[in-house]
Amino acid sequence: MFGQAAAPASAQPQKNWKDRAEFDLYDSITKDTTPKTRLEKLQQWEKAYPTTEFIKERRTLYLTTYVALNDGKNVVEEAKQILADDPKDFTALYYTMLFTQGLYAANQSPEILDGGEKAAKAILEGIDTPPAGVTAEQWAKLRPDIELLAHVNLGFVAMQRKNWDAAEAEFQKVLMMSPNNAQVDYWMGTVIASEKKIDKLPAAMFYFARSATIQGQTALTPDAQKTALTYVQKQYKNFHGSDEGFNDLLAAAKANPAPPAGFAIKNANEIAQASAANEEEYNKAHPSEALWANLKMTLTGAGGADYFMMMKGTMVPLLKGKVIKLEPAVKPKTILLAMEDKSNNTTTADATLKFEMPLAGKVDEGTELTFEGVADSYTASPFMVVFTVDKDSLHGWTGKNEPAAPRPRPRPKPAATN
């Protein structure tokens, strides 16, 4: 791509050196492989020969020398002069584009973005034609990286201008050409998140996560990778409401260059709404369990004792539980129940039913009973509510296994008398 800087005399035979000294100075410049001394010789040439028929060659040599010195500011200044005479000069366009990001990081000048954008667009407009001095075979190898850089540049420029849609479109092109580009993945996450569209935030987190998981030559630095991982984990927790599923996000990002079909992360509001809907549906289908759950939550809360003062002596609607213990084991006057709620805890008694008269027989442990009863007392810890229950208000009692009443022995017949 640097063929434009070579052998100008043969490429343009109509040009002439002013004297042998100018040619010898030019020759020494082209043979000097040390950027610092080459720059000194270029400055000597410019001072001795302010005007020359080889002004473009001198500017190109200045340009490539400043590139070797990593002097981006002077690279772009030389490129401007070259492009003023030849807007399609590939070398000037390429290096303007190449130094855009670094220069803008040091000096947030809109002019830098303008130049970088113009250069990238010009490169893409002529992307099908090899630059001067580059063969078709050479261009076939060089073109992919140069085309990629042009789209990266356009995406970067759009991102700095907060043109999120344009930036996203350009970065999407980049990632289709080069899927494992951690920096562009991070930028993609940034522009999508900056759109502030809640439905697109999962995609933003995907790209942040991907930027933190890519390894190899295109990976972020270890510190930047750690920062990206910490950031996306925090954003995920804020969005989702917990860390649950975060490792699944990392696995998906590591395995896919873009969010796969069906990819989604539920936000905390959606989860809360779904939970509320499930709660309502459950309560409608299980009224007694819902009643007990609400009662337990209230009685174990800060105002539980005050609430029970209003509740005491009133009939509580139908409740349901499973038998834990009968007292006594047969014909009990007391039943300990594990009340059923969504926790399905059926092993710990939390309700006591008391009867004035013994019940008939007994039932097996685990038998499900329903009842209406009057609340008499309660303790918050361990939680226990005591109810007085009428036998007619107990449902599900079968009274099995009641011992049979002993049969009276027959009386012996009196002895016969004569």
Side-chain angles (χ1 to χ4, degrees):
M1 70 179 68
F2 307 126
Q4 297 176 55
S10 60
Q12 298 182 4
Q14 75 280 9
K15 293 183 180 182
N16 295 298
W17 303 101
K18 287 191 174 182
D19 52 34
R20 179 63 189 232
E22 182 184 12
F23 173 78
D24 289 343
L25 185 54
Y26 166 80
D27 188 52
S28 69
I29 292 169
T30 59
K31 292 177 179 178
D32 193 336
T33 58
T34 304
K36 183 178 179 181
T37 56
R38 187 164 72 244
L39 178 60
E40 292 172 353
K41 292 174 183 177
L42 279 166
Q43 291 168 341
Q44 182 184 347
W45 181 15
E46 185 175 19
K47 183 177 180 181
Y49 300 90
T51 60
T52 177
E53 293 185 25
F54 300 97
I55 187 66
K56 180 174 181 179
E57 287 74 18
R58 185 160 69 192
R59 287 172 176 167
T60 301
L61 282 167
Y62 260 123
L63 175 69
T64 55
T65 301
Y66 283 130
V67 169
L69 292 168
N70 197 31
D71 184 348
K73 181 179 178 180
N74 279 314
V75 167
V76 171
E77 288 303 316
E78 288 297 331
K80 284 180 183 177
Q81 295 184 56
I82 294 172
L83 293 171
D85 293 331
D86 182 4
K88 294 184 179 181
D89 184 275
F90 178 83
T91 306
L93 291 172
Y94 174 77
Y95 283 120
T96 298
M97 183 175 68
L98 184 65
F99 279 87
T100 295
Q101 296 173 37
L103 282 177
Y104 189 77
N107 175 18
Q108 283 77 40
S109 169
E111 187 179 356
I112 295 172
L113 298 180
D114 293 341
E117 179 185 40
K118 187 175 180 179
K121 287 183 176 179
I123 289 282
L124 291 175
E125 286 174 3
I127 200 70
D128 293 328
T129 304
V134 179
T135 67
E137 184 178 358
Q138 289 172 329
W139 185 237
K141 296 178 180 178
L142 291 170
R143 171 176 169 165
D145 287 341
I146 293 170
E147 187 174 5
L148 184 73
L149 178 60
H151 286 297
V152 170
N153 232 38
L154 290 175
F156 176 82
V157 170
M159 178 173 66
Q160 301 309 320
R161 292 173 174 168
K162 303 187 186 305
N163 189 344
W164 310 125
D165 290 340
E168 182 180 349
E170 290 297 333
F171 290 148
Q172 192 67 56
K173 293 174 186 176
V174 172
L175 294 175
M176 289 179 67
M177 298 169 68
S178 177
N180 296 320
N181 192 320
Q183 180 62 74
V184 175
D185 276 309
Y186 190 87
W187 285 341
M188 178 69 105
T190 299
V191 299
I192 294 176
S194 298
E195 294 176 30
K196 300 188 182 301
K197 297 178 181 177
I198 194 168
D199 59 317
K200 296 186 73 173
L201 287 179
M205 285 184 277
F206 175 92
Y207 286 109
F208 281 128
R210 185 160 175 78
S211 74
T213 57
I214 289 175
Q215 302 297 322
Q217 292 183 345
T218 59
L220 298 174
T221 65
D223 286 345
Q225 203 170 60
K226 183 178 179 180
T227 299
L229 183 62
T230 301
Y231 175 78
V232 69
Q233 188 168 18
K234 179 180 178 180
Q235 295 307 312
Y236 180 93
K237 188 172 183 178
N238 289 340
F239 181 82
H240 186 65
S242 72
D243 289 324
E244 183 181 3
F246 180 69
N247 288 335
D248 295 333
L249 168 62
L250 292 181
K254 189 174 183 179
N256 299 279
F263 174 80
I265 301 172
K266 288 187 177 180
N267 64 56
N269 288 336
E270 290 174 331
I271 294 171
Q273 290 172 4
S275 177
N278 291 338
E279 179 86 11
E280 184 178 359
E281 184 177 349
Y282 177 87
N283 291 345
K284 287 180 180 178
H286 304 82
S288 61
E289 289 90 337
L291 174 61
W292 180 255
N294 290 333
L295 181 62
K296 185 174 182 179
M297 180 175 65
T298 303
L299 292 179
T300 54
D306 292 336
Y307 181 83
F308 190 79
M309 292 301 295
M310 295 184 293
M311 173 182 166
K312 185 176 181 180
T314 62
M315 178 70 73
V316 177
L318 191 70
L319 294 171
K320 179 166 62 175
K322 291 185 177 180
V323 173
I324 296 296
K325 186 179 181 182
L326 304 178
E327 296 177 350
V330 180
K331 294 186 177 181
K333 294 182 68 176
T334 301
I335 304 175
L336 274 66
L337 296 180
M339 303 300 290
E340 292 190 10
D341 55 27
K342 287 185 294 185
S343 67
N344 292 319
N345 177 19
T346 57
T347 59
T348 303
D350 47 7
T352 299
L353 311 187
K354 291 188 173 294
F355 300 87
E356 185 178 351
M357 299 296 295
L359 300 172
K362 68 174 186 176
V363 294
D364 296 331
E365 183 179 331
T367 298
E368 185 175 276
L369 301 176
T370 58
F371 67 94
E372 297 96 357
V374 175
D376 287 340
S377 63
Y378 95 104
T379 56
S381 181
F383 186 68
M384 175 65 71
V385 183
V386 179
F387 297 92
T388 298
V389 181
D390 187 82
K391 286 196 293 184
D392 294 336
S393 297
L394 180 68
H395 317 287
W397 184 268
T398 58
K400 295 179 180 179
N401 302 319
E402 183 176 358
R407 297 176 63 184
R409 294 182 179 181
R411 292 181 180 181
K413 295 182 179 179
T417 56
N418 294 326

